[in-house]
Amino acid sequence: ILNRNDQETQQKQTTEAQKLRKYNLASEIKRKYDELLRIQEASRKAADKIKTPRKIKVWREDLGKAVKVDFEEYVACVTASEMPNTFEPEALKAQSVAARTFAMSKIQKYEIKKPKQHPKAPICDTTHCQVYKTEKELIACHADGWGTDKNGWPKVQAACKSTEGQLLYYDGKLVMQPLFFSSSGGQTENSEDVFVSAVPYLVSVSSPYEEKATHRNEQKTFTFAETRKLLQKSFPKKDFGKLTRKNVK
């Protein structure tokens, strides 16, 4: 049984512990807030330096040539090519910023090294870069009226117009790997687990908003022989030994 002094001591210790937890929590919140302000300020300064061009040169794979396109028109066409117009306006806005940033990153890289796949232009119109169809091509592959319906092409244009000139920055620098995809299966990957290097803004995070994603329940079946062949093709210098039901999980 605790006497009065013990009870007062315990209560005092509990109170002090609660104060310490609150202090630590407040300090952590302030630290994160200060870090956010620092990144925002750095991004603002970077945004003042990087201006998008009026035109962009795009390699048209089917035509076998490079063509010059109005930059913001290109962004709108990519957005409509990569994302259905039925998506929410905020999603279309986010896609437009990603598409614009991707294009700018390719332009900056092009000044250093020409891509082997399309050396005459910094970016192509296929999934090798990001899909681009002209307004005419987009209208042709949609239902009649899509080009003028307020929920069709005009909806995409409005979303892109509202983000005009906006780019993604990380720690004050242009994001050079603004990668996007249709679905992740509920969890993204660390960049170093898929590509060559680790990128601080491409880390594995949960993506619990994909219940209706078209690829969520896809499955593929491979024989052991097929699996071995694919592994050897992807990793020719690796020896995987014999694949059996017992040693594959």
Side-chain angles (χ1 to χ4, degrees):
I1 302 173
L2 296 175
N3 59 37
R4 183 180 296 276
N5 289 336
D6 290 336
Q7 289 177 336
E8 289 177 353
T9 300
Q10 190 179 60
Q11 186 176 14
K12 184 178 180 180
Q13 290 175 340
T14 301
T15 302
E16 291 299 324
Q18 290 174 339
K19 287 181 179 179
L20 182 60
R21 282 196 294 270
K22 288 181 179 179
Y23 173 79
N24 290 338
L25 178 60
S27 297
E28 180 64 14
I29 291 174
K30 184 178 184 305
R31 186 189 68 77
K32 289 185 176 181
Y33 179 71
D34 289 343
E35 176 68 9
L36 177 61
L37 290 179
R38 184 186 68 78
I39 292 175
Q40 288 178 335
E41 178 62 17
S43 296
R44 184 190 65 75
K45 290 180 179 179
D48 292 338
K49 298 177 183 177
I50 299 178
K51 302 297 182 184
T52 55
R54 291 183 59 228
K55 301 278 186 178
I56 184 173
K57 188 180 289 187
V58 183
W59 178 256
R60 300 305 310 270
E61 189 67 30
D62 289 345
L63 299 178
K65 67 178 183 178
V67 298
K68 284 189 175 180
V69 184
D70 177 87
F71 187 79
E72 287 299 326
E73 178 187 335
Y74 166 80
V75 170
C77 288
V78 168
T79 300
S81 300
E82 291 280 3
M83 179 175 282
N85 60 279
T86 53
F87 278 30
E88 294 295 331
E90 292 303 314
L92 291 167
K93 291 177 186 178
Q95 180 65 49
S96 71
V97 175
R100 188 179 295 109
T101 305
F102 190 91
M104 280 304 302
S105 71
K106 289 294 185 180
I107 290 173
Q108 290 195 0
K109 291 175 184 177
Y110 190 71
E111 296 173 356
I112 302 171
K113 184 179 180 180
K114 305 295 186 287
K116 182 179 179 181
Q117 293 83 350
H118 42 84
K120 293 184 179 180
I123 202 164
C124 70
D125 62 356
T126 73
T127 53
H128 174 261
C129 293
Q130 52 186 3
V131 178
Y132 163 77
K133 291 183 173 68
T134 66
E135 179 181 345
K136 184 177 180 180
E137 290 168 344
L138 286 165
I139 291 174
C141 68
H142 283 85
D144 290 345
W146 181 85
T148 55
D149 189 302
K150 66 177 183 178
N151 291 316
W153 176 234
K155 178 183 175 181
V156 178
Q157 286 180 303
C160 296
K161 181 67 177 176
S162 69
T163 70
E164 185 172 345
Q166 291 183 19
L167 299 165
L168 287 171
Y169 299 91
Y170 180 82
D171 206 12
K173 298 179 181 179
L174 182 71
V175 169
M176 299 303 286
Q177 297 289 347
L179 307 179
F180 53 86
F181 46 84
S182 61
S183 56
S184 70
Q187 185 81 23
T188 66
E189 291 278 5
N190 293 314
S191 60
E192 65 269 27
D193 295 332
V194 181
F195 306 112
V196 177
S197 57
V199 181
Y201 48 80
L202 294 180
V203 296
S204 179
V205 295
S206 173
S207 181
Y209 315 106
E210 302 185 21
E211 291 84 359
K212 297 181 180 179
T214 54
H215 306 296
R216 185 172 176 81
N217 296 315
E218 284 187 351
Q219 291 185 352
K220 284 197 174 184
T221 303
F222 301 93
T223 65
F224 284 107
E226 290 171 336
T227 303
R228 182 177 179 80
K229 186 176 180 180
L230 289 170
L231 287 172
Q232 287 178 330
K233 182 179 179 181
S234 299
F235 308 97
K237 295 182 181 181
K238 295 283 186 179
D239 182 10
F240 294 95
K242 187 176 181 179
L243 300 181
T244 67
R245 292 182 181 274
K246 294 182 179 180
N247 62 17
V248 175
K249 296 181 180 180

